[in-house]
Amino acid sequence: MRITCTVNGRPQVADSVWAGESLLYVLRERLGLPGSKNACEQGECGSCSVYLDGTLVCACLVLGGQADGREIVTVEGLSNGDSLHPVQQAFVEAGAVQCGFCTPGLVVATHDLLRRVPRPSDAQIREALAGNICRCTGYAKIIDAVHLAAGRMGAA
Amino acid sequence: MTAGAVLPTRQPQAAAASVTGRVGESVRRPDGVLKVRGDFPYSSDLWVEGMLWGATSRSPHPYARIVSIDTSEALASPGVRAVLTHEDVPGRKLYGLEIPDQPVLAFDVVRYWGEAVALVAADHPEQARRAARKVRVEYEVRKPLTDPEEALTPEATRLHPGGNVTRHVTIRHGDQDARADVVVRGEYEIGMQDQAPLGPESGLAIPDGEGGVDLYVATQWLHVDQDQLAGCLGLAPDQVRLTLAGVGGAFGSREDLSMQAHACMLALRTGRPVKIVYSRPESFVGHVHRHPGRLRYEHGATRDGKLVYVKARILLDGGAYASSSTAVIANASCFAVGPYQCPNATIDGWVVYTNNPPCGAMRGFGSVQNCYAHEAQMDKLAAALGMDPVAIRMRNAMDGSSRLITGQAMEGPIPVAELLRRVQEMPLPPVAGADHLDLTALPGGVSNTTHGESVRRGVGYAVGFKNVGYSEGFDDYSTARVTLAAAGGRPRAEVHTAGAEVGQGLVTVQAQIAGTELGVRDVTVLNADTRVGSAGSSSASRQTYITGGAVKAACEAVRERIFALAQSELGSRSGAGWRLEREAIVSADGEVIVTLATLLGEEVIEETREFRPRRTNRLDPKTGQADAHMQYAFAAHRAVVDVDTELGLVKVVELATAQDVGKAINPLAVEGQLEGGAAQGLGLAVMEEVQVKDGVIRNPSFTDYLLPTILDMPPVRMDVLELGDPRSPYGVKGVGEPPTISSGPAIVAAIRAATGRPLARVPVRPHDIVT
């Protein structure tokens, strides 16, 4: 099948997509956007979190065909040219990135949280990011990063 | 199904990274920006024109004889380019880190559920997976041997030619007939934990057109992969070139080969690049796990709480193949008593073959299993003597005058009592009043299972230690090549090692060392590959010490050449007191003698050095006595838990830890290791277990294998000591593993304190608490 969608503000067409392919596969292997990660492909780890028409989803749980005519934003779409989004900058500075495989998903999920709750409490951060598994950091630096980003975005 | 033309995603490439910062500073990761943008090329992201996808056909039986393999149906499937079996292995059919006992592809028999039997390369990954399911294997199913106790009996099926005992370690220290006033006994069982790195096993093999192959892969040790691959592929080592592709965590799971040989075989057969990416369920059978253990202990002590003797029988289930089992059981045995002075010890450590999933390296490497047992025993002893659990530990704590039960003198700062004192003195978290109940902070969380009625709080302590680096005479070394040149009026250093950056921060450490030693701001760390000598594995908490030491040594050699160059250029006879600072040679009183840019001009200075720590020796086979280890790392933990005693639910409220890291090269990264390591310890204590029944893994997914989330992991209070090891570069000690050793036992001790239940098995399950 042919899928026509908008990804990170750009119209995209993917041809010959097999009906069983996930949006994650289409993004990574057909559209050249491997930022969304393939850790569990079962909706448990959040590594492939993207926006689908503005709603945070696991790209592995969405069929490629379901993305037809929709608008998708991936981690690659959050930075503005060379300048990082404050959430991305905060993750780098706070030491919230180690192996980094969970990072793209956490960055998108944090972006979504701060859109809804500009100054979240620790409890709100924990609840919002409970669907994103990180195996390296123990999460403390991730919480630091969310607060750092919230502070900067609030000040801006 | 059609597999249309795909657009390119990533080309395999060296991801050189530039970084500025000195030893002791919290330096940001140079790869961090790429990672937060989604631009960092992990091994599963690689793509090249004309690439095929590989898939693996695996055994549905834990133990069976292979009668026949028919690949014709798979080969005739859409998009399939090759189907290979053991008959297609070009070289040695067996590989292994310590004992070459594991088939590249099974022949004659399969010994575990999910063992690789055949390979497929196809245009689309789904085509490859479907064809892999069409490889027809006729099996004669045998009864699997899944009980490690049974494996030890003479009548058990012999799974390997040498029998079922992979290694038996005997330690006989002091008086074997020692008697004590007070004796406590216990039996403990540790479940099988998975490393569960988020990045799946993956890589891309590209044939070079001349019979050789280039492999881009996520691994922990490029050169040991290269050696094993060359043998299996029947090639010379220089025909199998490896480049580290982005690694999504490792924790021991990438020490053994997984898809490396398979991708190379398919690439060499098809003449096309082949990528293999494991799914998560496949990852659970495609790498080794932490050894499950059964440990039987007897502790004898005087009435005032001094250990008189410890007797222990440690049985680890190594599963179907040896992997690093022989080293794991040595660790489990050497550190069986914990970081305590004990004049007499009788330890028997066994690791056996079974038809369970193969077990090998995981963070903590043998010390995790025994820490659960020796710490539970110390608490039992404290209870029997009416002593405080921390006081009894302090009374027996090793110090610089102690000997390990292997007879080896414990040298340098051995701050066991100090670490315990520090965690004990940290303030305890407050107990929430009934009017401030935050449901997310209670056991059961937002499930709203309790409002605190039957919640009890417990506090528990544990301390643990392990060796740093390789032990028992292994030739432990690393190689570094350092280049210094001037470009655009600025000196630039380049560091090249084969040390695997797996997320722990080695890339930053190498740059910090070069920047410090050479006095330059701009250091580029080249991506790791096999064009430079071996760095050894990113394991055993050794890379900062050993590869860091190699970088330091190479920088010192570069510095000597710079000074020599300056002396000849400037006609200066004496270089006494010269230093490299601020991109210049400065005199003893800080005056700039010449800038590096001026001195170097067009000149490029390059030096390669190996670094070796002090040698170690094999354990004596009869007594287990030897100077077998070159350094030790210690950590203590205090855990505070709330337990819902009606539902058996546990909420870890806080972890506190103190650890001696010798010298924190990058303090921010050290904190990350302490927090992340503690999370993995928490996982084994209360939720993580690969559930194996009759040799079959019942929960190979992130839905069923539970990992700590951000809701499960509490804040970690930390106290990082930098006592310095006089024998290591900058005084560093290994950092990565101690956080995972004692965090779990502290949590279980806290649950015992809250519930009074014996809890002799981890992970602790709800029914262990309420029944």
Side-chain angles (χ1 to χ4, degrees):
Chain A
M1 76 176 94
R2 164 176 285 202
I3 296 172
T4 306
C5 54
T6 304
V7 183
N8 300 330
R10 291 174 51 196
Q12 295 275 10
V13 180
D15 276 319
S16 310
V17 174
W18 169 54
E21 284 175 18
S22 66
L23 172 60
L24 179 62
Y25 184 87
V26 171
L27 289 170
R28 288 174 54 78
E29 306 299 342
R30 295 190 178 275
L31 301 180
L33 293 168
S36 310
K37 295 302 170 205
N38 54 317
C40 78
E41 298 183 77
Q42 209 174 34
E44 289 290 341
C45 74
S47 304
C48 62
S49 299
V50 299
Y51 286 112
L52 181 64
D53 284 346
T55 300
L56 190 70
V57 297
C58 287
C60 69
L61 294 184
V62 178
L63 282 172
Q66 288 176 285
D68 194 45
R70 314 277 289 270
E71 190 170 334
I72 297 138
V73 176
T74 72
V75 68
E76 287 102 333
L78 294 187
S79 45
N80 180 12
D82 281 341
S83 71
L84 297 179
H85 187 276
V87 170
Q88 294 171 316
Q89 186 66 36
F91 268 69
V92 174
E93 288 181 28
V97 181
Q98 290 188 20
C99 93
F101 209 80
C102 67
T103 303
L106 274 160
V107 164
V108 177
T110 301
H111 185 274
D112 181 57
L113 167 66
L114 296 182
R115 221 168 43 148
R116 295 180 284 111
V117 188
R119 295 306 290 260
S121 64
D122 279 8
Q124 286 172 312
I125 294 170
R126 288 179 185 276
E127 192 175 347
L129 301 184
N132 292 75
I133 291 171
C134 170
R135 191 58 160 161
C136 295
T137 65
Y139 302 105
K141 304 270 181 273
I142 290 170
I143 294 173
D144 292 348
V146 178
H147 286 306
L148 183 61
R152 286 184 183 161
M153 289 164 72
Chain B
M1 184 177 91
T2 57
V6 293
L7 297 167
T9 56
R10 298 300 162 89
Q11 305 289 327
Q13 61 189 359
S18 197
V19 64
T20 298
R22 294 287 184 274
V23 165
E25 295 175 7
S26 284
V27 176
R28 289 177 205 161
R29 302 183 62 95
D31 53 10
V33 171
L34 289 174
K35 286 175 174 176
V36 296
R37 294 168 66 105
D39 287 340
F40 185 76
Y42 292 93
S43 54
S44 59
D45 298 335
L46 304 178
W47 188 98
V48 288
E49 188 67 38
M51 178 182 95
L52 302 173
W53 290 77
T56 314
S57 180
R58 295 179 179 277
S59 167
H61 308 292
Y63 192 34
R65 192 174 73 82
I66 296 173
V67 178
S68 64
I69 306 176
D70 178 0
T71 59
S72 55
E73 195 184 339
L75 200 51
S77 298
V80 171
R81 308 291 175 153
V83 183
L84 307 181
T85 69
H86 66 90
E87 292 180 349
D88 303 300
V89 176
R92 282 202 306 265
K93 290 192 174 199
L94 297 172
Y95 70 91
L97 286 173
E98 293 167 357
I99 300 169
D101 62 356
Q102 185 156 4
V104 176
L105 291 169
F107 57 94
D108 297 339
V109 291
V110 289
R111 294 185 180 84
Y112 72 98
W113 181 75
E115 182 163 355
V117 179
L119 306 171
V120 177
D123 295 334
H124 188 284
E126 186 59 24
Q127 291 174 326
R129 283 192 287 265
R130 289 181 177 199
R133 290 197 287 271
K134 291 181 183 166
V135 173
R136 301 296 171 210
V137 184
E138 189 187 338
Y139 291 103
E140 182 188 291
V141 178
R142 295 179 178 177
K143 184 174 182 297
L145 175 59
T146 57
D147 181 351
E149 286 288 357
E150 190 189 330
L152 277 175
T153 61
E155 57 271 21
T157 312
R158 288 163 71 91
L159 298 179
H160 288 273
N164 295 336
V165 176
T166 316
R167 188 175 180 188
H168 173 204
V169 175
T170 310
I171 296 179
R172 300 287 181 266
H173 184 65
D175 178 3
Q176 296 302 294
D177 299 316
R179 292 180 186 279
D181 303 333
V182 181
V183 174
V184 293
R185 298 183 179 87
E187 289 193 34
Y188 306 92
E189 188 176 342
I190 318 299
M192 181 186 287
Q193 188 179 20
D194 192 74
Q195 301 87 346
L198 283 204
E201 286 78 3
S202 45
L204 174 66
I206 305 177
D208 66 7
E210 296 170 359
V213 63
D214 289 278
L215 178 65
Y216 300 80
V217 69
T219 179
Q220 288 176 245
W221 187 355
L222 292 161
H223 285 81
V224 84
D225 283 8
Q226 183 187 35
D227 287 347
Q228 293 179 90
L229 287 172
C232 297
L233 298 172
L235 297 173
D238 64 3
Q239 291 178 287
V240 187
R241 296 160 299 269
L242 277 78
T243 301
L244 190 71
V247 183
F251 317 115
S253 68
R254 300 184 203 273
E255 281 196 28
D256 298 71
L257 295 182
S258 58
M259 44 58 64
Q260 286 91 327
H262 299 164
C264 291
M265 281 172 61
L266 289 169
L268 290 167
R269 175 61 67 93
T270 60
R272 291 178 53 182
V274 174
K275 173 162 128 171
I276 295 181
V277 180
Y278 283 0
S279 66
R280 184 54 51 179
E282 190 172 23
S283 177
F284 271 96
V285 296
H287 66 243
V288 299
H289 308 283
R290 188 190 300 290
H291 290 77
R294 297 179 191 178
L295 304 93
R296 195 164 69 214
Y297 269 68
E298 180 179 316
H299 276 54
T302 60
R303 292 210 185 281
D304 60 354
K306 286 290 280 183
L307 283 179
V308 175
Y309 70 84
V310 173
K311 295 180 180 175
R313 176 185 184 268
I314 297 169
L315 174 60
L316 300 183
D317 183 353
Y321 297 105
S323 179
S324 48
S325 282
T326 60
V328 171
I329 194 62
N331 271 17
S333 305
C334 289
F335 312 121
V337 175
Y340 303 113
Q341 305 187 41
C342 185
N344 310 301
T346 310
I347 313 293
D348 281 284
W350 302 83
V351 61
V352 295
Y353 287 117
T354 63
N355 293 116
N356 289 321
C359 290
M362 184 174 171
R363 197 174 195 170
F365 204 82
S367 274
V368 168
Q369 292 90 335
N370 65 33
C371 191
Y372 275 103
H374 66 65
E375 290 306 271
Q377 286 286 104
M378 294 305 279
D379 283 344
K380 231 179 214 188
L381 202 52
L385 291 163
M387 283 182 73
D388 174 77
V390 176
I392 196 166
R393 287 174 169 84
M394 289 207 197
R395 178 159 302 177
N396 291 287
M398 279 180 169
D399 58 29
S401 66
S402 308
R403 284 187 183 275
L404 193 61
I405 55 168
T406 60
Q408 185 167 4
M410 302 294 294
E411 296 168 52
I414 309 291
V416 179
E418 176 72 10
L419 297 173
L420 279 163
R421 190 175 301 118
R422 286 180 181 235
V423 290
Q424 190 179 33
E425 287 173 359
M426 287 186 206
L428 283 161
V431 181
D435 51 337
H436 288 97
L437 271 185
D438 172 8
L439 284 185
T440 61
L442 287 173
V446 287
S447 303
N448 196 16
T449 52
T450 181
H451 286 218
E453 311 76 77
S454 49
V455 172
R456 288 195 210 136
R457 177 160 289 191
V459 178
Y461 291 87
V463 57
F465 80 129
K466 80 173 289 292
N467 56 329
V468 172
Y470 305 140
S471 298
E472 286 203 84
F474 196 98
D475 182 21
D476 195 358
Y477 73 96
S478 181
T479 318
R481 182 184 300 150
V482 172
T483 308
L484 187 66
R490 296 263 322 261
R492 242 183 90 245
E494 210 169 72
V495 178
H496 191 188
T497 75
E501 166 60 53
V502 299
Q504 82 280 40
L506 179 64
V507 66
T508 325
V509 161
Q510 294 181 68
Q512 289 175 270
I513 290 173
T516 302
E517 295 299 325
L518 299 176
V520 299
R521 281 198 289 274
D522 190 0
V523 182
T524 300
V525 179
L526 299 184
N527 193 46
D529 57 40
T530 51
R531 291 181 296 121
V532 62
S534 178
S537 180
S538 288
S539 59
S541 304
R542 61 179 285 286
Q543 282 293 22
T544 297
Y545 187 150
I546 315 291
T547 291
V551 172
K552 185 167 185 278
C555 288
E556 285 163 356
V558 167
R559 190 164 61 206
E560 290 312 308
R561 286 200 34 208
I562 290 169
F563 289 166
L565 180 66
Q567 282 167 329
S568 78
E569 296 262 318
L570 305 175
S572 165
R573 272 183 293 279
S574 167
W578 284 5
R579 300 191 304 272
L580 289 181
E581 276 179 19
R582 294 169 279 141
E583 306 191 334
I585 297 178
V586 300
S587 64
D589 53 10
E591 296 281 316
V592 171
I593 293 166
V594 59
T595 68
L596 285 174
T598 306
L599 179 67
L600 285 165
E602 300 295 307
E603 187 126 7
V604 177
I605 295 181
E606 178 181 294
E607 289 291 339
T608 301
R609 287 291 181 277
E610 285 180 357
F611 175 81
R612 283 180 164 76
R614 65 177 182 156
R615 296 286 302 195
T616 57
N617 299 304
R618 290 280 295 175
L619 294 174
D620 180 278
K622 288 198 176 68
T623 64
Q625 301 299 289
D627 290 353
H629 311 289
M630 64 103 176
Q631 193 191 53
Y632 307 95
F634 302 85
H637 283 87
R638 181 190 70 195
V640 178
V641 303
D642 283 345
V643 184
D644 183 332
T645 53
E646 283 182 356
L647 294 172
L649 300 175
V650 173
K651 171 75 187 176
V652 183
V653 176
E654 188 200 80
L655 281 167
T657 184
Q659 182 171 332
D660 171 27
V661 303
K663 166 75 183 172
I665 302 285
N666 185 341
L668 188 67
V670 166
E671 290 175 12
Q673 289 293 303
L674 268 54
E675 288 159 345
Q680 294 188 350
L682 179 149
L684 177 58
V686 295
M687 64 181 77
E688 289 186 39
E689 183 173 10
V690 180
Q691 291 166 15
V692 183
K693 188 161 188 293
D694 302 327
V696 177
I697 299 179
R698 312 308 292 249
N699 59 341
S701 74
F702 280 180
T703 304
D704 298 313
Y705 181 88
L706 303 181
L707 290 158
T709 70
I710 198 168
L711 280 170
D712 300 305
M713 188 58 196
V716 180
R717 282 183 193 273
M718 270 183 284
D719 201 345
V720 177
L721 281 68
E722 297 182 83
L723 300 181
D725 179 340
R727 294 173 311 218
S728 71
Y730 308 106
V732 297
K733 279 187 162 190
V735 172
E737 294 172 284
T740 305
I741 296 171
S742 47
S743 51
I747 290 167
V748 175
I751 304 171
R752 283 193 200 102
T755 63
R757 312 238 16 124
L759 305 178
R761 186 190 191 281
V762 290
V764 176
R765 301 154 297 189
H767 59 262
D768 297 326
I769 293 171
V770 295
T771 57

